Amino acid sequence: MNLIKWITSSRFWKSWFRNPYPRDRRSRAMVILNSLALHLHPVRVPKRATKVTYTWGLGGLATWMFMILTFTGVFLMWYYIPTTEDAYWTIVKLETGVTFGSFFRNLHRWAAHAMVIAVIAHMTRVFYTGSYKPPRDFNWVIGVGLLLLTLLLSFSGYLLPWDQLAYWAIAVGMEMGGATPFIGKQVRMALLGGFEIGQQTLIRWYTLHVIFLPLATIFLMATHFWRVRKDGNISTPVYEDDEEELRRVAEERRRRR
Ligand code: HEM
């Protein structure tokens, strides 16, 4: 007992855990307010909003996939060389001659597929539960940006092995971009970095994939989470047999009108 007291009153312990064990509402609120990580959530969250089967944790799953992608992506960057001569062979070498190379490459690939699926499923859940309505309409728009970035990250990564699949994916993408009304030529030029597919195309998509798109995604994700918090945490499910909640929602609607 004395040992526990000695540990919990030590300077080292107190540097990590600044608040005493929260026994009442006020000290529970203080724990949340003083912690950067816990501060992502509002001080109070309605119990029903924490029901797993309401969100299915899909937004969290997308975040988790993004973290795995960042971690494994750094590993891939140690070996990958973004030149048209080396790109393909560095991937072959990674698969055959690097410890855990194949494992990390596959983890990166599968996490990318999983992220696209998770984001689309999350968007479907948000739509199905009507959570896109005010006050969460702005966060829906941020979400559309995140969906676009996720798809672009996926597409740009697909090009990097510089194999036949990648080459023809660029060719198709370029033709599609080139068909844009009025600015087709300019879009094609922007996608290729020149008049034809080559080194300048690869370096352009590589830079987008490893710097610009991840940074833009981190920025939008941070804004997305901040909005979830500011909009009073996630929307709350309403059950047909929950009369009190139905009355509260009806009252809120009446006040808005
Ligand atoms: C990288 C992609 C995304 C990530 C990491 C992400 C993450 C999250 C997280 C963690 C939440 C909290 C609740 C939950 O897990 O469902 C959330 C809520 C929300 N997200 Fe996303 N999201 C992404 C994409 C999207 C997309 C594509 C849309 C819609 C176009 C969207 C719209 C919303 C809205 C409106 C909420 C509030 C939902 C509510 O209050 O019930 N998000 N998001």
Side-chain angles (χ1 to χ4, degrees):
M1 201 57 197
N2 269 348
L3 180 69
I4 294 178
K5 209 170 173 191
W6 182 74
I7 293 173
T8 53
S9 57
S10 69
R11 200 165 164 191
F12 179 75
W13 179 271
K14 284 186 174 166
S15 310
W16 285 93
F17 307 103
R18 285 167 191 271
N19 297 100
Y21 187 80
R23 293 188 193 283
D24 51 39
R25 281 188 173 188
R26 191 162 193 277
S27 49
R28 281 189 201 140
M30 286 310 285
V31 171
I32 303 284
L33 290 172
N34 283 337
S35 156
L36 177 69
L38 296 177
H39 197 72
L40 285 173
H41 291 282
V43 170
R44 287 222 211 139
V45 179
K47 200 172 171 191
R48 72 180 81 203
T50 59
K51 202 165 183 280
V52 176
T53 50
Y54 182 62
T55 65
W56 294 101
L58 291 164
L61 201 66
T63 314
W64 182 228
M65 289 305 123
F66 183 75
M67 277 150 61
I68 294 181
L69 284 162
T70 311
F71 178 73
T72 52
V74 170
F75 179 86
L76 298 181
M77 279 178 79
W78 287 339
Y79 298 97
Y80 178 79
I81 301 174
T83 63
T84 48
E85 291 88 46
D86 297 312
Y88 178 75
W89 294 111
T90 47
I91 296 283
V92 171
K93 216 162 77 188
L94 182 90
E95 287 267 355
T96 53
V98 174
T99 314
F100 290 122
S102 184
F103 174 73
F104 278 111
R105 185 179 177 212
N106 281 323
L107 201 56
H108 196 74
R109 243 195 138 88
W110 281 101
H113 296 320
M115 184 171 166
V116 172
I117 295 169
V119 170
I120 293 173
H122 167 62
M123 187 174 154
T124 311
R125 188 290 287 176
V126 169
F127 181 76
Y128 180 67
T129 54
S131 313
Y132 55 84
K133 294 175 194 167
R136 297 179 176 79
D137 43 350
F138 177 64
N139 218 9
W140 174 266
V141 177
I142 302 276
V144 173
L146 280 169
L147 174 70
L148 268 178
L149 286 173
T150 306
L151 295 178
L152 274 173
L153 271 167
S154 186
F155 181 70
S156 55
Y158 191 63
L159 308 177
L160 302 183
W162 211 246
D163 49 10
Q164 284 292 309
L165 218 62
Y167 188 89
W168 295 108
I170 298 187
V172 172
M174 177 193 78
E175 290 300 332
M176 284 167 70
T180 312
F182 309 115
I183 51 164
K185 257 192 208 155
Q186 287 77 359
V187 172
R188 196 184 133 106
M189 192 74 158
L191 293 179
L192 288 184
F195 290 103
E196 54 186 36
I197 301 173
Q199 177 60 57
Q200 71 290 349
T201 318
L202 179 56
I203 204 73
R204 189 159 284 210
W205 286 95
Y206 175 71
T207 317
L208 281 175
H209 187 75
V210 303
I211 299 178
F212 180 77
L213 295 172
L215 285 182
T217 308
I218 289 170
F219 174 72
L220 279 198
M221 269 191 195
T223 317
H224 198 59
F225 300 154
W226 169 69
R227 274 322 315 170
V228 171
R229 193 185 191 289
K230 286 289 162 195
D231 295 336
N233 203 287
I234 58 163
S235 54
T236 353
V238 180
Y239 303 113
E240 275 175 19
D241 58 350
D242 191 341
E243 283 176 15
E244 194 190 317
E245 182 61 13
L246 284 173
R247 227 175 296 136
R248 194 191 63 75
V249 172
E251 176 64 31
E252 200 179 302
R253 281 203 189 124
R254 212 170 306 127
R255 239 184 298 124
R256 276 218 199 105
R257 259 191 252 127

